[in-house]
Amino acid sequence: MLIVTIDTGTTNTRVRAWRNNMVVGELSAEVGIRDCAKNGNNVRLIQSIKTLLAQLLAKFSDEERENYRLVASGMITSEIGLCHLPHEVTPVSMRQLAQKASARVINEISEKPIIFIPGIKNKTTELTFDSIESMDVMRGEEVEIFGILSQQPDLGASLVILPGSHSKFVRIDDNKNVIALATTMAGEIFDTLTHQTILASSLEHQFVQQLDREYLLKGAELSQQVGIARSCFSVRLLDLFTEATLDQKSSFLLGAILASDLLAIKNSQALCVTNDIKIVISGKPILANALQLLIKNDSYFTGEISVLKDKKEQPYSGLGAISILNLTEYK
C-alpha cells in the first residue's frame, strides 16, 4: 500500500509517495504556512496540496490510487494550518506522538483521512525574562528526529543537531524520548547577510560551495573574541584588503555565525548538556560538516561526534512520519 507524506513548512510543501519505506514519487510547491498568514485563510495551501496529490497519484495504478494512506507533519498543524494540534510537552516518545495524532478528512484534498502529527515543546514553568531561554518549540523536525531514531536503534542518550534555516538542537535520552530542544536562526542569518547586506557584493550573493577549514575556524575564533557583529564585518575587510577567495570569505562568515551555535549548546538552559554528550548531526552537508569541524576543534566537547547522511530515497522526515503513522490507531 502506498503511503503519502505531506510536509508543510513556512514557505514550501513537499508531497512524497512511499512504498516499502522507499520514496517512489515526489512533488513540491512554494506554498507554506506563510501564505496562510498573508492571505488570512488556508485556501491556497489546500489547493496546492490537492494539485500535488492528484499529480503524484496519477503516476500509479488504479489499485494504488484507491488504497493509500495520508500522513502530514510540520507547520500544517499550527494555529493557521489545516489542523491545529497543540505541541506535546517533553519528554515525548514516538508512541506518545502517535497517540496524540489526529485524523481529519478534508474533502477538498481527498476523501481519505489525513493523519496529522503534532509538534513538540519544552516543559517549563511560568515563563519570565529569566526563564524564557528554557522554552522552545518545533513542528516538523520531530518526525525527522524519530526517523533518525528508527534507523539508529542503538543511538542512546545524545544531542541530535539538524542544521538549516532554523537549526534545531534536540536532546534524546536512553529510552528514545525527546527531552529538550533549542533553536537558532543560524541559516537564516547567513542567508540574509549573504543576500541583503553590504556583504552581498563581497560574497557575490553565494553560499559557500567548498568549505575552507582554516577560514571557517578563524571566523569562529574571531566571533568568540569580539562577537558576531564585528566578525561578520570582517568579511568585508577580507574582500577589500586580501586575496581571499569567495569560498574562503564565505567559510569565514559561516564560522563566525556557527560559533554562536556552539555557545548556545554549551550554555542553553533548555538543553543543559554535559561536555561528554554524544553528538549526531544530520542535515545540509556543508552546514553539517562545518558544525562537525567546529565541535571537534572546541576543547569543551569530549564526546563522540558523527554525521548522518539523509538519503534522497529515504529521507528521515518521511521515515519518522511513517513510523509514527504505523503506531496510531488509524489503519
Side-chain angles (χ1 to χ4, degrees), residues 6 20 22 34 36 41 52 138 159-161 175 202 256 267 270 297 306 320 325 327:
I6 302 170
N20 299 323
M22 297 286 288
R34 184 175 64 181
C36 298
N41 60 63
L52 291 173
M138 62 181 175
L159 178 70
V160 180
I161 302 177
N175 296 316
S202 298
N267 298 308
N297 194 66
S306 59
L325 173 67
L327 290 175

Side-chain angles (χ1 to χ4, degrees), residues 27 52 54 63 67 77 99 142 150 153 163 237 297 310 317 322:
L27 292 171
L52 291 173
E63 181 180 354
N67 297 285
T77 63
Q99 291 171 345
E142 68 288 331
S150 72
L237 302 178
N297 194 66
D310 199 2
S317 57
I322 292 169

Side-chain angles (χ1 to χ4, degrees), residues 190 194 199 202-212 215-216 219 235 238 244-258 286 290:
F190 191 97
T194 301
L199 300 184
S202 298
L203 299 171
E204 298 179 14
H205 299 265
Q206 293 184 41
F207 187 75
V208 58
Q209 300 298 309
Q210 183 74 38
L211 273 178
D212 185 294
Y215 277 75
L216 178 81
V235 175
L238 286 172
T245 67
L246 185 59
D247 275 334
Q248 286 172 335
K249 289 178 289 186
S250 193
S251 294
F252 185 95
L253 177 62
L254 186 58
I257 294 169
L258 292 183
I286 287 180

